Amino acid sequence: MTLGFPDGFRWGTATAAYQIEGSTTADGRGPSIWDTFTARSGLATGDPACDHYRRYREDIGLLSELGIPYYRFSVAWSRIMPDGRTVEPRGLAFYDRLVDALLENGVTPMVTLYHWDLPEALQAEGGWPNRELADLFADYALTVHKVLSDRVQQWTTINEPFCAAFIGYGNGDHAPGIQDEGAALVAGHNLLLAHGKAAQALRSDGGEQEVSIVLNFAPVLTDVDDAAHREAARKFDFLHNRFFLDPLLGRGYPPELLADLAHLGTLEPAIADGDLEIIAQPLDVLGVNYYAPARAMPLEDPEADSNCPLPGLRGMDVQPPRGELTSLGWEQRPECFTELLLWLQEHCDGLPLVIAENGAAFEDEVVEGRVHDEKRVRYFADHLAAVHAAIERGADVRGYMAWSLLDNFEWAMGYTQRFGLVHVDFETQERVLKDSALFYADVVARNGL
Ligand code: IFM
């Protein structure tokens, strides 16, 4: 049986600048927090990654060969404004060429303005806990819009502010590697403010466009259905899934969440008059990233820190995943994807949704020029069927971007986790289409599974 998707469904793949581009000092690019964080921590860096800065034509050729009509990529702020403020025309020229090359190959570009790579110069001014960054981000957004908006209609302001704020400034596992939960909450608020101001700036510049933000969601499961477990799940759900979503929808921060975080003492003082109105700019579409659910359990000591990225979310713990896992240790639960999309449909009052990322890391091997990545094929088949089920049950899902086009730099995990439809040999930069790429191309060609 074929599971057909709606006419005009947008099929694409997604990438992010720091994860693929390399060439971190080319054409005047300034350092980003990921350059400094990886160097300081002795981690693998984003250079050369997939050397996409120099090989973008080859990579776009792959999209064209596979017949994948949309491509979601991010722009590196530190190429456009190496010091966070002053324009570097050579950086803009790269994305100008990239967009032209996509269009020449029949691929529609979708731009994300921020995928975690803050110019280091702005971290030196305090990073996202400094609310001045919201205005600087809007200036940067406008600068990029002025150059690309004649050819780009789909604009995402920020990718996964949860990770940028709470993993970057909370547990410090990501750049800039700061462990200060109070600052992390303020960073989260300022990222939302930056989104709102950027959305205003993009719209002030005219043109036909869709403005979105991309959030990563984790439906929360518990082992036991009792009041304590439900409360633990509620806490994690509100931090992970609603901290960013509810203010974007014009509802402000959920009062229960403000109470959960009150002892940290920083979030409410950071919310200035008018901020919530700025944050609640109308969204044309919501970008949804889904990989795996989370599991929550209560902690007996209500004062005990949690093991979540914001340890000050007290009285709960995230439990280890179980069942079939990806190589990153993420639990495979396609049914949670369906439930998530149905919940979003209702919670967001019918706002159109686009799956901005979904995919899985597995260990792949090239054998006689082929990569038989059966597990990834199954992951995609199961998760696409889950999206289809949600659409059948009324969710307005307009598109699906597979994460990721290429194996790439998986942040603090370096090059150990392969998410690509295309295998990349990081020594030689040779690209090999995996079976999952051929599978996905077939889905795209049929507009169905
Ligand atoms: O690689 C990341 C991406 O940058 C953001 N979303 C999750 C992906 C897999 O971890």
Side-chain angles (χ1 to χ4, degrees), residues 358-435:
N358 174 240
F362 292 109
E363 282 158 18
D364 301 317
E365 236 191 310
V366 183
V367 179
E368 294 170 3
R370 298 286 305 271
V371 180
H372 298 302
D373 57 338
E374 269 167 58
K375 290 183 182 169
R376 188 173 294 96
V377 170
R378 191 152 47 77
Y379 182 96
F380 278 125
D382 291 347
H383 286 74
L384 285 169
V387 175
H388 184 271
I391 295 173
E392 289 282 288
R393 290 169 60 188
D396 184 4
V397 184
R398 304 273 174 97
Y400 178 95
M401 306 296 129
W403 185 267
S404 180
L405 173 62
L406 304 168
D407 288 339
N408 59 46
F409 172 79
E410 179 55 23
W411 307 111
M413 308 295 290
Y415 298 93
T416 62
Q417 302 297 321
R418 294 181 176 273
F419 274 92
L421 295 170
V422 178
H423 186 275
V424 177
D425 179 325
F426 294 109
E427 296 293 315
T428 63
Q429 292 296 340
E430 191 193 356
R431 274 75 162 142
V432 174
L433 297 181
K434 301 181 192 176
D435 285 357

Side-chain angles (χ1 to χ4, degrees), residues 19 115-116 159-160 289 291 330 357 403 410-411 419:
Q19 293 182 270
H115 196 125
W116 308 353
N159 183 76
E160 299 184 353
N289 289 359
Y291 289 91
W330 294 353
E357 289 180 26
W403 185 267
E410 179 55 23
W411 307 111
F419 274 92

